[in-house]
Amino acid sequence: MAAQALALLREVSRLEAPLEELRALQSLLQSVPLSELREQAAELRLGPLFSLLNENHREQTTLCVSILERLLQALEPVHVARNLRVDLQRGLTHPNESVKILTLSQVGRIVENPDAVTEILNNAELLKQIVYCIGGENLSVAKTLIVEISSVSPESLNYCTTSGLVTQLLRELTGEDVLVRATCIEMVTSLACTHHGRQYLAQEGVIDQISNIIVGADADPFSSFYLPGFVKFFGNLAIMDSPQQICERYPIFVEKVFEMTESQDPTMIGVAVDTIGILGSNVEGKQVLQKTGTRFERLLMKIGYQAKNATTELKIRCLDALSSLFYLPPEQQTDDLLRMAESWFSSLSRDPLELFRGISNQPFPELHCAALKVFTAIANQPWAQKLMFNSPGFVEYVMDRSVEHDKASKDAKYELVKALANSKTIAEIFGNPNYLRLRTYLSEGPYYVKPISTTAVEGAE
């Protein structure tokens, strides 16, 4: 089939008006597997198809775009960057929207591929051309590409800022259109994932502007459109830089997160809970939260309540945040931090261990796994081991393989057993017989099934 497609492609390149052949090729390509086309990648000559785009013939252009979409998927991004640069440059300035989108999607593939992107970055002219061509577009795909290109290196960010594209994006971020603002903040958050991106945003005063918009959000009836994205931006910023510095410099961020947990809107609660999880994923962030004192304890009580009563999706987000908050690597388990974790845990509900066990018994594998992750997060902390050991039936629950039926749940249980068995304090707290049972479980692996005795019993017929 791929051979037929190649024959038709050769035919197209020989003819001046190959409409019939293009229709046949488009139809044939729908049934040729991509794997077959990839095997023939070296034979695919796409230049003639790109040339046909230059003629002002609507059906021909539509057919060529459809064929190119399929054939380009069979080519590696590096090959596209090296061999089809001129065609891409032309495509970026094409009057037909579908040709531009096709070209931009290929530029996107190149930018996402570390080997292919160097082909663009080593060619200043091409990079400039791409940046300027995209500049004329108000497509969100163009904006996303600008951020991806800017994120590659300080040099590529420089091209994008000189072209005025990043400035335009930042203008829209602080502009009046709340929906545009919401999409822009996602892109700015991606840019902030790189060190040079964060430096640029700080120098341009963008971080201060975002903080000021959060300050004024109470007076804006439409703030629910963009506020979640703005809060996420600070959450990511805090964990990449320093939670303490970000929270001290932008107190409105922490204030807003606490406020959002009080909201009646599940979207707001979800974002607040995710952000608490991100913030509390390292020790410095945990200490920032601890400094808020009884406020944080009240917030934990709310998260405990939501983990029990919210929708399944929000329950899982609460459990994931709690796993992140409670986990302490052995080398960071100072007496103070262990006391803090224990006090946080007891703030969740009257009997947190029983709360999570109840959640893990619900017939939803995702919930079951999320609850097991909370147990795993605290499993290497002595206070939690004592709680588990003294909780009636808990040790049996951990050892019981019949509770988990699917692979994800068996894996999650195995991680819990591993965390317990590898802890230095477990033998002393659980006692040697239980410690040996944990080691046996560990050596048997996550999917072990106990052999059923097949001894025949006389008279059983």
Side-chain angles (χ1 to χ4, degrees), residues 94-118:
H94 200 283
N96 184 301
E97 203 70 354
S98 65
V99 177
K100 275 184 189 160
I101 291 171
L102 167 76
T103 314
L104 285 170
S105 70
Q106 291 308 311
V107 174
R109 286 180 71 210
I110 292 168
V111 171
E112 283 168 5
N113 181 297
D115 298 323
V117 78
T118 52

Side-chain angles (χ1 to χ4, degrees), residues 415-460:
E415 287 304 313
L416 169 57
V417 171
K418 189 174 12 176
L420 286 166
N422 290 337
S423 162
K424 288 191 172 74
T425 50
I426 198 73
E428 184 191 334
I429 293 170
F430 269 38
N432 268 328
N434 285 325
Y435 171 65
L436 292 172
R437 288 170 73 196
L438 286 168
R439 299 299 317 173
T440 305
Y441 191 123
L442 202 58
S443 62
E444 287 169 346
Y447 316 118
Y448 175 76
V449 179
K450 205 171 183 178
I452 299 163
S453 172
T454 51
T455 317
V457 179
E458 202 176 336

Side-chain angles (χ1 to χ4, degrees), residues 6-288:
L6 282 172
L8 272 170
L9 192 56
R10 280 193 290 272
E11 197 64 20
V12 165
S13 63
R14 284 192 309 105
L15 300 168
E16 272 186 39
L19 258 184
E20 283 306 316
E21 289 73 14
L22 287 170
R23 287 185 195 122
L25 181 55
Q26 186 208 25
S27 162
L28 177 67
L29 283 173
Q30 284 166 1
S31 48
V32 182
L34 210 50
S35 54
E36 275 187 40
L37 290 172
R38 285 200 178 109
E39 285 167 19
Q40 303 290 337
E43 303 299 315
L44 294 175
R45 303 275 177 270
L46 304 187
L49 285 172
F50 275 106
S51 302
L52 289 170
L53 292 172
N54 299 328
E55 295 172 23
N56 193 12
H57 188 304
R58 186 176 291 177
E59 189 191 353
Q60 186 170 286
T61 300
T62 307
L63 286 166
C64 286
V65 166
S66 168
I67 292 165
L68 281 165
E69 267 172 1
R70 184 75 178 149
L71 293 177
L72 284 163
Q73 284 178 330
L75 299 178
E76 289 297 321
V78 176
H79 177 91
V80 177
R82 276 187 195 148
N83 303 303
L84 298 170
R85 275 194 293 223
V86 177
D87 298 306
L88 290 181
Q89 274 172 268
R90 281 203 206 108
L92 287 166
T93 53
H94 200 283
N96 184 301
E97 203 70 354
S98 65
V99 177
K100 275 184 189 160
I101 291 171
L102 167 76
T103 314
L104 285 170
S105 70
Q106 291 308 311
V107 174
R109 286 180 71 210
I110 292 168
V111 171
E112 283 168 5
N113 181 297
D115 298 323
V117 78
T118 52
E119 293 288 325
I120 289 185
L121 296 177
N122 293 336
N123 183 332
E125 274 315 300
L126 176 64
L127 179 61
K128 264 189 229 170
Q129 174 111 28
I130 289 171
V131 170
Y132 288 118
C133 291
I134 294 172
E137 295 304 308
N138 203 18
L139 301 163
S140 67
V141 61
K143 289 181 188 154
T144 310
L145 276 180
I146 280 300
V147 172
E148 285 179 355
I149 293 172
S150 302
S151 301
V152 173
S153 68
E155 293 74 33
S156 62
L157 171 61
N158 196 26
Y159 279 128
C160 295
T161 48
T162 342
S163 71
L165 290 171
V166 176
T167 325
Q168 184 189 332
L169 179 71
L170 299 178
R171 247 201 321 274
E172 289 179 355
L173 177 68
T174 52
E176 294 306 306
D177 188 327
V178 290
L179 294 175
V180 170
R181 196 182 269 185
T183 49
C184 287
I185 190 67
E186 281 184 33
M187 295 173 196
V188 172
T189 304
S190 302
L191 186 57
C193 289
T194 64
H195 180 65
H196 66 271
R198 287 196 296 283
Q199 270 186 323
Y200 172 77
L201 293 171
Q203 280 162 6
E204 295 297 308
V206 176
I207 303 173
D208 292 340
Q209 284 177 310
I210 294 173
S211 169
N212 291 338
I213 290 173
I214 296 178
V215 172
D218 287 345
D220 181 357
F222 300 108
S223 63
S224 62
F225 285 108
Y226 58 81
L227 203 52
F230 278 45
V231 168
K232 273 186 205 167
F233 168 82
F234 272 110
N236 285 308
L237 201 62
I239 210 64
M240 281 182 281
D241 271 354
S242 148
Q244 192 177 337
Q245 282 176 12
I246 293 296
C247 295
E248 280 175 3
R249 181 157 183 196
Y250 304 103
I252 184 65
F253 159 56
V254 182
E255 188 57 45
K256 193 51 79 177
V257 171
F258 276 90
E259 223 175 85
M260 283 162 81
T261 56
E262 311 267 357
S263 169
Q264 298 304 307
D265 178 353
T267 308
M268 292 294 182
I269 300 171
V271 169
V273 165
D274 294 346
T275 308
I276 293 285
I278 290 171
L279 209 50
S281 61
N282 68 20
V283 167
E284 191 184 315
K286 293 183 208 295
Q287 287 166 328
V288 167

